[in-house]
Every structure is written in structure tokens, then in C-alpha cells.
Amino acid sequence: MTLWNGSYPFYPGANACFPFDTTWAVIITVFLSMLATFIIVLPGIRGRGRLFWFLRLVMGLFVGAVVLTLQFTRDWETGWVQANTSYKSFSRAVVNVDIGLHIGLEGVNITLKGNPVNQINETINYNEYFSWSFGSNYDHSYREGLEKGLPSPILYVAEKFTSQSPCAMHRQYRVSGHYASATLWLAFCTWLISILLFSMSVLLHGGYMLLLTATLILFSLLFFFTVRNTVKCPIQFGPVSLKTDYGESFWLTLVTGLLCLLLGLSVIILNSVEPEKLKLIFNLDKREGAEEVWDKPCLLAEPSCSVQDVLMVPPGELFEVTATHL
């Protein structure tokens, strides 16, 4: 018989999973606001340039939003397992739970959900985050979990990533996460420079910056790939083990890097082979406007005509110019 109305003493309530990450919400809101603002001016662009301008806008904002959001995601590597395991220390209670491990660049997220959620007079729905980013102490967060009396499966998984663990996974993931995060920040900076160069019509150098952005994004994958393929300690729950694989953030990073690589190469190749088509894509083709000016002869007798306009008339049409007597 346990104390406190049938519940185990000193254990706080479950830290349930929040519906969404507020950092993601802020980033997505900012970029969607920028997209909506630019769409407002879209009707002011004439002809085919409207479609090309809209495509450049969407792809540019997509790359920037993804690169920035990937810094804060927690699903670069994920894994789930269903097991029958002991619930808490000093108790023989065995529960059937789903245990999830989600590894990001700045820490690990461990979830525990019962099947069903309500077992042994408790709601089993935990979501605990342990950070190893700059300014955070993973071991201190783990000790706080011990003091709070978190369920044994969460503490068992979290213990594998402590600095004192013989598994040595803490240093591997922490170092690789820091390098991957640094390269992604550099990729975000080069993306901003490429947007600036394209807006200044420096197309070739903008393509080079896109190639550099793609290289940095792919290098961040390489840093994470090296630690993913090192020898790891098994995370065993009786006859089953918790195994992880690449998560959604990893594959999204790969797609974004390949997209930047394709766009950068396209700009460089078109600049060498078909520069006029490249100018057309970036709304820099002035031939249509020039033809409209030459096709309209101007007479000084017309109220809206000036001497400067007359000088722009082709030589073959100068006979049409007449003078008026004062």
C-alpha cells in the first residue's frame, strides 16, 4: 500500500508533450508574413515575370526558413520501441509503454507513453528534454531528473548520454551537433548574401553563393553522419532494444542542400550558355521595353513630346518630325 492516496510519494505529475514547438511557430510565422507581404505586390508585376518572380520568392523563403528551423528541431535521429518494463524505482509495477528517443543538434528528447495511458492509477505520458548546447549542463539536467523521480525508462535512456557513461555517446553527439549547427548558421548567412546579390542583379556571384550554401548544408549532414555510424551502446528493454534511424530533419536537410546545389548550378550554367534566358528569369530583359519606345515616333507638335523624346526617334523616321513656327 503506497502513501498519498495510492500514488507514489515525491513524484511530480507528468511533463506532457506540448502540441508544437514555439520556436518553430515564431520562425514559420515570420516567413509566412514575409510571403504574404510580397504576394500583395505580385499583381504589380507584368507578364511572364510575375511567375518567375513568385517562384524565386517561394524557393528563397523556403530555403531560409528550413535552414533556420533545422537549428531547433529534435528529430535528426529518432527511434521507438514498445516494451513491458518496470515503471519507477522501489516498485515492482510493470507497465506496457511506448518509449521514444529523439536526438537533435542541441540535446535529446525522451518520451514515454503508456498502452493504455492510464495504468497503476497514474497517467503515463512523459516528454523530457535534456540539452547539451552551449550554456547547458547535460549531467546537471540528468541529476535533476533523478531528484524529481522520473520514470525508470526515461532515466535509463538519459543515462546513456551522460558524460560519465562508458558508452561515450555524449561527447560524440555533442561535438557533431555543435559542428553541424555551426555550418548551418554559416549556410543561413550565405543564403542571405545570395538573396542580396540576386536583388542587385549580380547573378553569377549569387549562383556561387548558392553553391556555397549547398556545400555547407551537406557538410552539416556529413558531421551528423559520422556520429550516426559509430559504435553505440545497446538500449535494451528486456528482449527488445531501442534502435534509432535518420529522422525527418535529416532528410529535409538533404533535400534542401540538393535544391540549393541544383539552383546554383543552373544559374552558373545559364549564365555561360544562355545569359539572355537567365536575364528573362530574373526580369532583366529590357528588349521589349526598348522596342516599345522605338516603335512610337514622337512629334514636337504633340503636347506630351519633348526634345529629348525626339532625339530617341530612329534615324529612318526623322522625316516625320515637323517644326512649329512661333
Side-chain angles (χ1 to χ4, degrees):
M1 182 96 181
T2 58
L3 301 176
W4 309 104
N5 298 324
S7 63
Y8 296 103
F10 314 121
Y11 295 141
N15 182 16
C17 180
F18 199 65
F20 57 88
D21 191 297
T22 54
T23 305
W24 303 355
V26 171
I27 296 174
I28 293 174
T29 301
V30 170
F31 278 87
L32 287 180
S33 300
M34 295 173 61
L35 178 62
T37 302
F38 285 115
I39 288 179
I40 293 176
V41 302
L42 187 62
I45 302 176
R46 300 177 180 178
R48 293 178 298 177
R50 180 183 304 172
L51 176 62
F52 291 136
W53 187 86
F54 180 74
L55 292 176
R56 297 200 314 269
L57 173 66
V58 171
M59 286 188 291
L61 292 179
F62 171 79
V63 172
V66 168
V67 173
L68 188 58
T69 305
L70 289 172
Q71 295 281 354
F72 310 100
T73 55
R74 302 174 183 177
D75 56 351
W76 281 70
E77 188 176 342
T78 60
W80 285 92
V81 67
Q82 183 177 357
N84 294 314
T85 180
S86 60
Y87 183 49
K88 287 185 176 180
S89 302
F90 311 110
S91 172
R92 297 181 179 179
V94 176
V95 293
N96 184 270
V97 292
D98 288 327
I99 306 166
L101 175 62
H102 313 275
I103 303 175
L105 301 181
E106 297 184 345
V108 296
N109 203 88
I110 305 172
T111 58
L112 181 70
K113 187 173 183 180
N115 293 313
V117 175
N118 296 314
Q119 298 183 50
I120 60 172
N121 297 326
E122 286 196 31
T123 300
I124 305 176
N125 188 15
Y126 287 82
N127 179 36
E128 299 293 332
Y129 182 67
F130 302 88
S131 176
W132 54 54
S133 61
F134 290 111
S136 302
N137 190 323
Y138 184 93
D139 293 341
H140 179 69
S141 300
Y142 175 72
R143 287 193 296 269
E144 287 183 343
L146 287 172
E147 294 173 358
K148 289 193 301 183
L150 293 177
S152 297
I154 294 180
L155 295 175
Y156 170 68
V157 176
E159 189 273 336
K160 296 289 185 180
F161 293 89
T162 58
S163 59
Q164 290 82 18
S165 174
C167 296
M169 291 196 296
H170 174 79
R171 185 176 184 276
Q172 296 172 3
Y173 276 101
R174 185 172 183 271
V175 172
S176 65
H178 286 172
Y179 278 108
S181 178
T183 53
L184 284 177
W185 280 119
L186 289 176
F188 184 74
C189 294
T190 55
W191 168 80
L192 288 176
I193 297 174
S194 68
I195 296 297
L196 179 62
L197 291 174
F198 284 135
S199 64
M200 297 172 60
S201 303
V202 189
L203 305 183
L204 181 59
H205 291 82
Y208 289 149
M209 294 308 297
L210 269 183
L211 280 184
L212 182 57
T213 302
T215 303
L216 291 171
I217 293 175
L218 296 178
F219 261 102
S220 68
L221 293 177
L222 181 61
F223 289 131
F224 196 82
F225 174 81
T226 54
V227 69
R228 175 68 178 81
N229 288 273
T230 56
V231 179
K232 299 180 180 178
C233 289
I235 304 177
Q236 201 75 22
F237 293 94
V240 296
S241 60
L242 176 57
K243 297 181 180 179
T244 58
D245 202 352
Y246 295 121
E248 296 178 359
S249 293
F250 182 90
W251 298 114
L252 182 59
T253 306
L254 179 61
V255 170
T256 306
L258 294 178
L259 176 63
C260 291
L261 181 65
L262 177 63
L263 294 177
L265 288 176
S266 300
V267 170
I268 295 174
I269 293 175
L270 284 177
N271 185 78
S272 301
V273 180
E274 296 287 346
E276 296 301 325
K277 290 185 177 179
L278 182 62
K279 292 180 180 179
L280 178 63
I281 294 175
F282 283 88
N283 299 338
L284 299 178
D285 193 359
K286 304 298 184 182
R287 290 178 301 177
E288 296 181 1
E291 290 175 357
E292 292 179 359
V293 173
W294 287 104
D295 290 341
K296 295 180 180 179
C298 182
L299 301 179
L300 283 174
E302 298 179 2
S304 60
C305 186
S306 64
V307 177
Q308 183 179 0
D309 296 330
V310 173
L311 296 178
M312 297 177 62
V313 178
E317 300 180 3
L318 287 177
F319 62 90
E320 299 183 13
V321 179
T322 58
T324 58
H325 297 282
L326 297 176

mmCIF file of all heavy atoms in Angstrom, residues 206-229:
data_model
loop_
_atom_site.group_PDB
_atom_site.id
_atom_site.type_symbol
_atom_site.label_atom_id
_atom_site.label_comp_id
_atom_site.label_asym_id
_atom_site.label_seq_id
_atom_site.Cartn_x
_atom_site.Cartn_y
_atom_site.Cartn_z
ATOM 1 N N GLY A 206 25.721 35.428 -57.238
ATOM 2 C CA GLY A 206 24.623 34.859 -56.477
ATOM 3 C C GLY A 206 24.548 33.351 -56.625
ATOM 4 O O GLY A 206 24.275 32.633 -55.660
ATOM 5 N N GLY A 207 24.820 32.862 -57.840
ATOM 6 C CA GLY A 207 24.878 31.412 -58.049
ATOM 7 C C GLY A 207 26.010 30.771 -57.277
ATOM 8 O O GLY A 207 25.852 29.675 -56.720
ATOM 9 N N TYR A 208 27.157 31.444 -57.229
ATOM 10 C CA TYR A 208 28.276 30.915 -56.443
ATOM 11 C C TYR A 208 27.920 30.827 -54.964
ATOM 12 O O TYR A 208 28.266 29.851 -54.276
ATOM 13 C CB TYR A 208 29.511 31.798 -56.626
ATOM 14 C CG TYR A 208 30.153 31.694 -57.990
ATOM 15 C CD1 TYR A 208 30.815 32.784 -58.569
ATOM 16 C CD2 TYR A 208 30.113 30.503 -58.711
ATOM 17 C CE1 TYR A 208 31.409 32.699 -59.822
ATOM 18 C CE2 TYR A 208 30.703 30.402 -59.962
ATOM 19 C CZ TYR A 208 31.338 31.496 -60.512
ATOM 20 O OH TYR A 208 31.926 31.396 -61.748
ATOM 21 N N MET A 209 27.229 31.826 -54.451
ATOM 22 C CA MET A 209 26.838 31.800 -53.036
ATOM 23 C C MET A 209 25.813 30.702 -52.770
ATOM 24 O O MET A 209 25.820 30.090 -51.691
ATOM 25 C CB MET A 209 26.284 33.158 -52.620
ATOM 26 C CG MET A 209 27.310 34.283 -52.639
ATOM 27 S SD MET A 209 28.826 33.899 -51.706
ATOM 28 C CE MET A 209 28.178 33.710 -50.056
ATOM 29 N N LEU A 210 24.956 30.413 -53.737
ATOM 30 C CA LEU A 210 24.026 29.296 -53.569
ATOM 31 C C LEU A 210 24.772 27.976 -53.519
ATOM 32 O O LEU A 210 24.425 27.073 -52.747
ATOM 33 C CB LEU A 210 23.008 29.282 -54.712
ATOM 34 C CG LEU A 210 21.708 30.054 -54.503
ATOM 35 C CD1 LEU A 210 20.788 29.884 -55.699
ATOM 36 C CD2 LEU A 210 20.997 29.594 -53.234
ATOM 37 N N LEU A 211 25.817 27.845 -54.355
ATOM 38 C CA LEU A 211 26.641 26.631 -54.298
ATOM 39 C C LEU A 211 27.330 26.505 -52.948
ATOM 40 O O LEU A 211 27.426 25.405 -52.384
ATOM 41 C CB LEU A 211 27.687 26.654 -55.419
ATOM 42 C CG LEU A 211 27.221 26.254 -56.821
ATOM 43 C CD1 LEU A 211 28.407 26.240 -57.781
ATOM 44 C CD2 LEU A 211 26.563 24.879 -56.797
ATOM 45 N N LEU A 212 27.815 27.609 -52.420
ATOM 46 C CA LEU A 212 28.441 27.573 -51.101
ATOM 47 C C LEU A 212 27.419 27.217 -50.020
ATOM 48 O O LEU A 212 27.729 26.459 -49.086
ATOM 49 C CB LEU A 212 29.080 28.931 -50.800
ATOM 50 C CG LEU A 212 29.818 29.049 -49.462
ATOM 51 C CD1 LEU A 212 30.916 27.996 -49.340
ATOM 52 C CD2 LEU A 212 30.397 30.457 -49.297
ATOM 53 N N THR A 213 26.195 27.727 -50.139
ATOM 54 C CA THR A 213 25.133 27.372 -49.198
ATOM 55 C C THR A 213 24.855 25.879 -49.242
ATOM 56 O O THR A 213 24.724 25.223 -48.197
ATOM 57 C CB THR A 213 23.852 28.152 -49.526
ATOM 58 O OG1 THR A 213 24.120 29.551 -49.480
ATOM 59 C CG2 THR A 213 22.746 27.813 -48.549
ATOM 60 N N ALA A 214 24.757 25.326 -50.446
ATOM 61 C CA ALA A 214 24.519 23.881 -50.579
ATOM 62 C C ALA A 214 25.665 23.078 -49.972
ATOM 63 O O ALA A 214 25.446 22.064 -49.301
ATOM 64 C CB ALA A 214 24.344 23.520 -52.055
ATOM 65 N N THR A 215 26.897 23.526 -50.193
ATOM 66 C CA THR A 215 28.049 22.811 -49.638
ATOM 67 C C THR A 215 28.022 22.797 -48.117
ATOM 68 O O THR A 215 28.261 21.764 -47.478
ATOM 69 C CB THR A 215 29.353 23.468 -50.128
ATOM 70 O OG1 THR A 215 29.368 23.480 -51.560
ATOM 71 C CG2 THR A 215 30.562 22.704 -49.615
ATOM 72 N N LEU A 216 27.691 23.924 -47.507
ATOM 73 C CA LEU A 216 27.636 23.987 -46.047
ATOM 74 C C LEU A 216 26.508 23.116 -45.497
ATOM 75 O O LEU A 216 26.677 22.441 -44.467
ATOM 76 C CB LEU A 216 27.445 25.436 -45.613
ATOM 77 C CG LEU A 216 28.643 26.365 -45.847
ATOM 78 C CD1 LEU A 216 28.263 27.813 -45.587
ATOM 79 C CD2 LEU A 216 29.821 25.959 -44.970
ATOM 80 N N ILE A 217 25.361 23.102 -46.167
ATOM 81 C CA ILE A 217 24.252 22.271 -45.702
ATOM 82 C C ILE A 217 24.624 20.794 -45.775
ATOM 83 O O ILE A 217 24.364 20.015 -44.833
ATOM 84 C CB ILE A 217 22.991 22.557 -46.539
ATOM 85 C CG1 ILE A 217 22.489 23.977 -46.271
ATOM 86 C CG2 ILE A 217 21.894 21.552 -46.229
ATOM 87 C CD1 ILE A 217 21.318 24.384 -47.141
ATOM 88 N N LEU A 218 25.255 20.394 -46.864
ATOM 89 C CA LEU A 218 25.655 18.992 -46.996
ATOM 90 C C LEU A 218 26.763 18.628 -46.019
ATOM 91 O O LEU A 218 26.837 17.491 -45.548
ATOM 92 C CB LEU A 218 26.087 18.718 -48.440
ATOM 93 C CG LEU A 218 24.986 18.882 -49.497
ATOM 94 C CD1 LEU A 218 25.541 18.641 -50.890
ATOM 95 C CD2 LEU A 218 23.816 17.930 -49.219
ATOM 96 N N PHE A 219 27.624 19.582 -45.681
ATOM 97 C CA PHE A 219 28.665 19.319 -44.683
ATOM 98 C C PHE A 219 28.041 19.101 -43.300
ATOM 99 O O PHE A 219 28.550 18.305 -42.510
ATOM 100 C CB PHE A 219 29.669 20.465 -44.639
ATOM 101 C CG PHE A 219 30.922 20.182 -45.410
ATOM 102 C CD1 PHE A 219 31.114 20.726 -46.674
ATOM 103 C CD2 PHE A 219 31.900 19.364 -44.884
ATOM 104 C CE1 PHE A 219 32.265 20.456 -47.393
ATOM 105 C CE2 PHE A 219 33.062 19.089 -45.589
ATOM 106 C CZ PHE A 219 33.244 19.633 -46.847
ATOM 107 N N SER A 220 26.962 19.798 -42.993
ATOM 108 C CA SER A 220 26.290 19.568 -41.710
ATOM 109 C C SER A 220 25.759 18.134 -41.635
ATOM 110 O O SER A 220 25.811 17.497 -40.571
ATOM 111 C CB SER A 220 25.149 20.567 -41.530
ATOM 112 O OG SER A 220 24.094 20.330 -42.449
ATOM 113 N N LEU A 221 25.273 17.621 -42.765
ATOM 114 C CA LEU A 221 24.851 16.218 -42.804
ATOM 115 C C LEU A 221 26.025 15.285 -42.593
ATOM 116 O O LEU A 221 25.912 14.250 -41.928
ATOM 117 C CB LEU A 221 24.173 15.910 -44.142
ATOM 118 C CG LEU A 221 22.841 16.596 -44.421
ATOM 119 C CD1 LEU A 221 22.353 16.234 -45.810
ATOM 120 C CD2 LEU A 221 21.802 16.189 -43.389
ATOM 121 N N LEU A 222 27.172 15.637 -43.170
ATOM 122 C CA LEU A 222 28.364 14.805 -43.015
ATOM 123 C C LEU A 222 28.798 14.729 -41.556
ATOM 124 O O LEU A 222 29.162 13.649 -41.056
ATOM 125 C CB LEU A 222 29.495 15.353 -43.879
ATOM 126 C CG LEU A 222 30.819 14.579 -43.843
ATOM 127 C CD1 LEU A 222 30.609 13.155 -44.350
ATOM 128 C CD2 LEU A 222 31.878 15.291 -44.675
ATOM 129 N N PHE A 223 28.753 15.855 -40.850
ATOM 130 C CA PHE A 223 29.117 15.850 -39.433
ATOM 131 C C PHE A 223 28.184 14.942 -38.628
ATOM 132 O O PHE A 223 28.636 14.195 -37.757
ATOM 133 C CB PHE A 223 29.078 17.269 -38.870
ATOM 134 C CG PHE A 223 30.193 18.147 -39.356
ATOM 135 C CD1 PHE A 223 29.929 19.414 -39.843
ATOM 136 C CD2 PHE A 223 31.510 17.701 -39.340
ATOM 137 C CE1 PHE A 223 30.959 20.228 -40.298
ATOM 138 C CE2 PHE A 223 32.534 18.502 -39.796
ATOM 139 C CZ PHE A 223 32.264 19.774 -40.278
ATOM 140 N N PHE A 224 26.897 15.013 -38.912
ATOM 141 C CA PHE A 224 25.959 14.171 -38.177
ATOM 142 C C PHE A 224 26.061 12.722 -38.626
ATOM 143 O O PHE A 224 25.835 11.801 -37.829
ATOM 144 C CB PHE A 224 24.535 14.682 -38.374
ATOM 145 C CG PHE A 224 23.557 14.142 -37.372
ATOM 146 C CD1 PHE A 224 23.452 14.713 -36.114
ATOM 147 C CD2 PHE A 224 22.749 13.066 -37.682
ATOM 148 C CE1 PHE A 224 22.562 14.218 -35.181
ATOM 149 C CE2 PHE A 224 21.852 12.567 -36.753
ATOM 150 C CZ PHE A 224 21.762 13.145 -35.506
ATOM 151 N N PHE A 225 26.395 12.488 -39.878
ATOM 152 C CA PHE A 225 26.511 11.131 -40.407
ATOM 153 C C PHE A 225 27.659 10.374 -39.737
ATOM 154 O O PHE A 225 27.559 9.163 -39.487
ATOM 155 C CB PHE A 225 26.730 11.193 -41.924
ATOM 156 C CG PHE A 225 27.016 9.867 -42.559
ATOM 157 C CD1 PHE A 225 25.978 9.000 -42.855
ATOM 158 C CD2 PHE A 225 28.317 9.486 -42.873
ATOM 159 C CE1 PHE A 225 26.239 7.771 -43.446
ATOM 160 C CE2 PHE A 225 28.574 8.269 -43.456
ATOM 161 C CZ PHE A 225 27.533 7.402 -43.753
ATOM 162 N N THR A 226 28.746 11.068 -39.432
ATOM 163 C CA THR A 226 29.897 10.390 -38.824
ATOM 164 C C THR A 226 29.564 9.824 -37.454
ATOM 165 O O THR A 226 29.927 8.690 -37.127
ATOM 166 C CB THR A 226 31.074 11.365 -38.700
ATOM 167 O OG1 THR A 226 30.647 12.538 -37.986
ATOM 168 C CG2 THR A 226 31.585 11.775 -40.073
ATOM 169 N N VAL A 227 28.833 10.588 -36.624
ATOM 170 C CA VAL A 227 28.495 10.089 -35.291
ATOM 171 C C VAL A 227 27.401 9.030 -35.377
ATOM 172 O O VAL A 227 27.341 8.123 -34.544
ATOM 173 C CB VAL A 227 28.053 11.250 -34.386
ATOM 174 C CG1 VAL A 227 26.726 11.829 -34.822
ATOM 175 C CG2 VAL A 227 27.957 10.799 -32.932
ATOM 176 N N ARG A 228 26.552 9.111 -36.391
ATOM 177 C CA ARG A 228 25.472 8.128 -36.531
ATOM 178 C C ARG A 228 26.022 6.739 -36.833
ATOM 179 O O ARG A 228 25.392 5.732 -36.489
ATOM 180 C CB ARG A 228 24.535 8.585 -37.651
ATOM 181 C CG ARG A 228 23.425 7.614 -38.015
ATOM 182 C CD ARG A 228 22.420 7.479 -36.900
ATOM 183 N NE ARG A 228 21.333 6.598 -37.247
ATOM 184 C CZ ARG A 228 21.384 5.271 -37.197
ATOM 185 N NH1 ARG A 228 22.475 4.674 -36.792
ATOM 186 N NH2 ARG A 228 20.325 4.542 -37.529
ATOM 187 N N ASN A 229 27.180 6.666 -37.440
ATOM 188 C CA ASN A 229 27.731 5.377 -37.841
ATOM 189 C C ASN A 229 28.839 4.891 -36.913
ATOM 190 O O ASN A 229 29.593 3.987 -37.268
ATOM 191 C CB ASN A 229 28.261 5.463 -39.281
ATOM 192 C CG ASN A 229 27.142 5.553 -40.299
ATOM 193 O OD1 ASN A 229 26.623 4.552 -40.761
ATOM 194 N ND2 ASN A 229 26.750 6.767 -40.637
#
